[in-house]
């Protein structure tokens, strides 16, 4: 077969990729499976979708991935839509995912639970709550200017506490731009710093309608607010992340206004009651003080003031007696101490010290003489014994008993007959001199 009939790998792969691209059944595929080998990347996501018997590689580009509301995890069962294509560089087919949602649980609910767990772990919901100002002067309301929320809050505050100033900060509470609008208004109110309380909220709706109040940025902005925040989102059964991050959650806008303000009429009645109780308390205090004054005026101190000094005079006499006794005792103690010191001084006089040292010198000199005499006697005995031992070792004394020794002409001592020959001239050493002899005969003993 001719070589032109053979395809290159690139050509074959392009042909297969073209087949995949123009196949109408692969242009839009709906898959259900389990996520595998997922690792969150900064941009595009690469992982696998599998079931019990097969697996397909998957890619989800950044623009599509940013639209999902939850974070995929290994083992999560999902519903995905996309197109099947061939990646020509490796020749592998894959699904390019456009949408993804959890199988059996809504994507928004899944995102809500994941973000709720994340913020709870960081302590956003468990931080110390800021107490509400009991008598606010200005309240900021962040909500839609056309909704029923602001009307309910205005009606309630006018009825309960008309002296408070309500300031509406219009915000988007639904839709794509609601998150940035709510965060911007929260930052604006905190930057102004002249409000006592913030009320943020909207009316009820589906989870999609309430989702801006489940956004992470909104929850963190509420938690970071320096001004106490009351959250009133949806109905009593709806609980958003903003409700959990706020200092106080209100079931309805009316409840939020009631939490933010006291009832002015009740407070006026309390003030009047406090005024009456204060007047009565002051009246009782004055009566008690008058009774005490009357009792003091009848006291003997005012009728006989000289009696105040009787006790002090007796105390002075007693202290004077004690002082004299202490002085006498101190003098006696010091006198005894002086006698003791004088005796010690006598013992330490220079003359006495000289006498004691002289006696000590005489004793030391006597001991020194005795030690020298004993040492001389011992050395003399040692000398005599050494001289006697030396005399015993003197060869002249041995020669006096008839011994002698012989040397040759070189003064070498002759120790054996083996070193002698006939006619050798030898020197014979005796006790009192030497004699010269000649060898005439040599005889060796047989041993």
């Amino acid at each position: 077969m001719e070589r032109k009939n053979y395809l290159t790998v690139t050509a074959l792969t392009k042909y297969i990729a073209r087949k995949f691209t123009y196949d109408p059944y692969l242009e839009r595929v709906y898959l259900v499976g389990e996520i595998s080998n997922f690792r969150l990347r900064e941009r595009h996501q690469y992982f696998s979708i599998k079931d019990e018997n097969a697996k397909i590689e998957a890619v989800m580009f950044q623009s599509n991935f940013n639209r999902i509301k939850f974070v995929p995890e290994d083992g999560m069962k999902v519903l995905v839509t996309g197109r099947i294509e061939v990646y020509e560089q490796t020749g592998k087919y894959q699904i390019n995912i456009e949408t993804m949602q959890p199988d059996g649980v809504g994507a928004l609910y899944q995102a809500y639970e994941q973000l709720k767990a994340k913020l709870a772990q960081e302590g956003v919901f468990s931080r110390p709550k800021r107490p509400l100002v009991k008598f606010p002067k200005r309240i900021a309301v962040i909500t839609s200017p056309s909704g029923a929320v602001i009307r309910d809050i205005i009606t309630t505050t006018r009825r309960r506490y008309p002296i408070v100033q309500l300031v509406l900060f219009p915000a988007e509470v639904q839709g794509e731009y609601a998150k940035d609008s709510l965060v911007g208004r929260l930052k604006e109110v905190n930057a102004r710093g002249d409000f006592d309380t913030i009320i943020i909220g909207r009316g009820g709706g589906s989870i999609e309608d309430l989702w801006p109040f489940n956004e992470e940025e909104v929850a963190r902005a509420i938690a970071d607010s320096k001004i106490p925040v009351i959250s009133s989102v949806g109905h009593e059964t709806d609980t958003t992340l903003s409700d959990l991050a706020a200092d106080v959650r209100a079931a309805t806008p009316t409840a939020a206004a009631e939490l933010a303000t006291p009832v002015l009429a009740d407070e006026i009645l309390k003030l009047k009651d406090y005024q009456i109780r204060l007047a009565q308390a002051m009246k009782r205090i004055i009566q008690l003080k008058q009774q005490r004054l009357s009792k003091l005026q009848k006291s003997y101190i005012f009728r006989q003031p000289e009696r105040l000094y009787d006790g002090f005079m007796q105390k002075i006499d007693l202290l004077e007696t004690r002082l004299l006794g202490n002085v006498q005792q101190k003098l006696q103690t010091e006198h005894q101490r002086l006698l003791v010191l004088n005796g010690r001084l006598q013992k330490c006089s220079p003359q006495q010290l000289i006498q004691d040292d002289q006696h000590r010198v005489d004793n030391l000199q006597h001991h020194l003489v005795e030690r020298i005499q004993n040492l001389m006697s011992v050395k003399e005995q040692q000398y005599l014994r050494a001289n006697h031992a030396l005399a015993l070792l003197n060869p002249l004394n041995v020669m006096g008993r008839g011994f002698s020794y012989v040397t040759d002409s070189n003064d070498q001592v002759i120790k054996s007959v083996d070193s002698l020959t006939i006619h050798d001239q030898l020197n014979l050493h005796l006790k009192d001199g030497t004699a010269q002899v000649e060898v005439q005969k040599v005889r060796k003993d047989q041993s």
Side-chain angles (χ1 to χ4, degrees):
M1 185 176 290
E2 297 181 4
R3 189 178 185 279
K4 65 180 180 179
N5 295 326
Y6 289 86
L7 294 175
T8 63
V9 175
T10 301
L12 178 61
T13 304
K14 285 184 177 292
Y15 176 79
I16 296 174
R18 182 179 178 84
K19 285 289 187 181
F20 273 68
T21 301
Y22 288 98
D23 190 327
Y25 295 102
L26 301 180
E27 184 177 0
R28 170 71 61 172
V29 177
Y30 298 84
L31 284 184
V32 57
E34 183 180 301
I35 295 177
S36 177
N37 297 325
F38 181 83
R39 180 172 61 85
L40 186 63
R41 294 173 170 85
E42 292 185 2
R43 298 183 60 203
H44 313 311
Q45 308 303 318
Y46 302 93
F47 52 96
S48 304
I49 302 293
K50 68 176 183 177
D51 57 18
E52 295 82 357
N53 301 313
K55 181 176 72 171
I56 183 173
E57 299 299 323
V59 59
M60 193 169 189
F61 293 111
Q62 186 177 13
S63 58
N64 293 327
F65 185 75
N66 289 340
R67 287 200 296 267
I68 67 175
K69 299 296 185 181
F70 66 99
V71 179
E73 299 175 354
D74 274 356
M76 181 183 292
K77 197 170 184 180
V78 292
L79 303 173
V80 300
T81 62
R83 65 180 182 274
I84 304 299
E85 60 185 21
V86 174
Y87 185 56
E88 296 183 13
Q89 292 185 5
T90 61
K92 292 182 179 181
Y93 77 95
Q94 62 187 12
I95 180 171
N96 188 328
I97 297 176
E98 298 175 358
T99 66
M100 179 191 299
Q101 63 179 352
D103 183 20
V105 181
L108 290 179
Y109 180 77
Q110 182 75 25
Y112 171 83
E113 290 297 329
Q114 289 180 345
L115 184 56
K116 179 181 177 182
K118 174 186 175 182
L119 296 179
Q121 185 177 6
E122 294 180 11
V124 174
F125 303 144
S126 59
R127 60 168 180 77
K129 303 297 185 181
R130 294 171 289 265
L132 298 178
V133 177
K134 188 173 182 180
F135 302 105
K137 296 180 180 179
R138 305 186 75 201
I139 298 177
V141 182
I142 302 176
T143 187
S144 172
S146 59
V149 174
I150 186 62
R151 293 195 299 271
D152 291 344
I153 292 175
I154 292 174
T155 301
T156 304
T157 52
R158 284 179 178 176
R159 171 175 52 84
R160 290 171 56 88
Y161 200 65
I163 62 175
V164 70
Q165 181 182 2
L166 287 178
V167 179
L168 173 64
F169 287 83
E172 297 286 339
V173 295
Q174 182 175 335
E176 182 180 358
Y177 304 105
K179 174 185 67 175
D180 296 334
S181 177
L182 293 171
V183 172
R185 287 304 193 184
L186 283 166
K187 291 182 178 180
E188 181 182 353
V189 174
N190 276 273
R192 292 182 58 169
D194 54 352
F195 290 92
D196 300 310
T197 308
I198 298 175
I199 299 177
I200 184 172
R202 57 154 291 157
S206 64
I207 188 172
E208 290 82 3
D209 295 337
L210 302 180
W211 189 253
F213 294 89
N214 286 322
E215 294 285 357
E216 181 177 359
E217 292 84 349
V218 177
R220 291 189 182 276
I222 292 175
D224 294 337
S225 174
K226 298 178 181 179
I227 302 172
V229 178
I230 301 175
S231 176
S232 175
V233 181
H235 302 296
E236 186 172 359
T237 56
D238 299 320
T239 302
T240 64
L241 299 183
S242 296
D243 294 331
L244 299 176
D247 298 287
V248 179
R249 176 183 181 264
T252 62
T254 300
E258 291 175 350
L259 289 171
T261 59
V263 179
L264 183 59
D266 293 343
E267 298 302 324
I268 293 175
L269 290 177
K270 288 181 182 178
L271 288 175
K272 291 181 179 179
D273 181 58
Y274 291 153
Q275 185 178 9
I276 295 172
R277 291 170 59 184
L278 180 61
Q280 292 176 350
M282 291 301 298
K283 185 177 180 180
R284 286 195 298 270
I285 292 173
I286 293 173
Q287 290 176 351
L288 291 175
K289 297 295 183 181
Q290 288 177 344
Q291 292 175 1
R292 186 178 178 186
L293 177 60
S294 177
K295 183 178 178 180
L296 290 175
Q297 288 175 344
K298 296 178 181 179
S299 175
Y300 73 92
I301 295 176
F302 294 101
R303 292 184 286 106
Q304 297 176 342
E306 66 275 3
R307 293 176 58 181
L308 287 173
Y309 302 99
D310 293 344
F312 291 106
M313 295 301 295
Q314 292 179 358
K315 188 174 182 179
I316 290 175
D317 293 340
L318 178 61
L319 292 175
E320 185 177 359
T321 303
R322 288 182 181 178
L323 178 61
L324 292 175
N326 290 336
V327 170
Q328 291 178 357
Q329 184 178 2
K330 183 69 175 178
L331 288 174
Q332 291 178 359
T333 302
E334 294 299 327
H335 180 69
Q336 292 294 332
R337 184 166 174 268
L338 179 61
L339 293 177
V340 172
L341 292 175
N342 189 29
R344 291 172 60 184
L345 182 61
Q346 292 296 328
K347 292 180 180 180
C348 296
S349 64
Q351 184 176 2
Q352 184 65 36
L353 293 175
I354 292 173
Q355 291 178 358
D356 293 340
D357 291 339
Q358 185 64 46
H359 287 307
R360 192 177 299 107
V361 169
D362 293 341
N363 290 333
L364 291 174
Q365 186 175 7
H366 177 70
H367 289 309
L368 180 61
V369 171
E370 288 183 351
R371 291 285 182 88
I372 292 175
Q373 290 177 351
N374 291 336
L375 182 61
M376 291 295 293
S377 177
V378 170
K379 295 298 182 182
E380 184 177 359
Q381 293 297 327
Q382 292 177 351
Y383 169 75
L384 293 176
R385 286 194 296 270
N387 189 35
H388 178 69
L390 183 62
L392 293 176
L393 297 175
N394 190 353
L396 296 178
N397 292 336
V398 176
M399 294 173 68
R401 295 196 295 270
F403 293 94
S404 64
Y405 67 94
V406 180
T407 61
D408 58 12
S409 59
N410 295 324
D411 289 335
Q412 298 294 321
V413 177
I414 302 302
K415 298 179 180 180
S416 174
V417 296
D418 294 335
S419 61
L420 298 178
T421 59
I422 302 300
H423 303 299
D424 282 346
Q425 299 294 320
L426 304 175
N427 295 318
L428 180 63
H429 296 267
L430 301 173
K431 174 183 178 182
D432 52 356
T434 60
Q436 189 173 14
V437 297
E438 180 179 342
V439 178
Q440 295 181 357
K441 184 178 180 180
V442 176
R443 186 181 66 225
K444 188 174 183 180
D445 294 337
Q446 299 297 323
S447 56

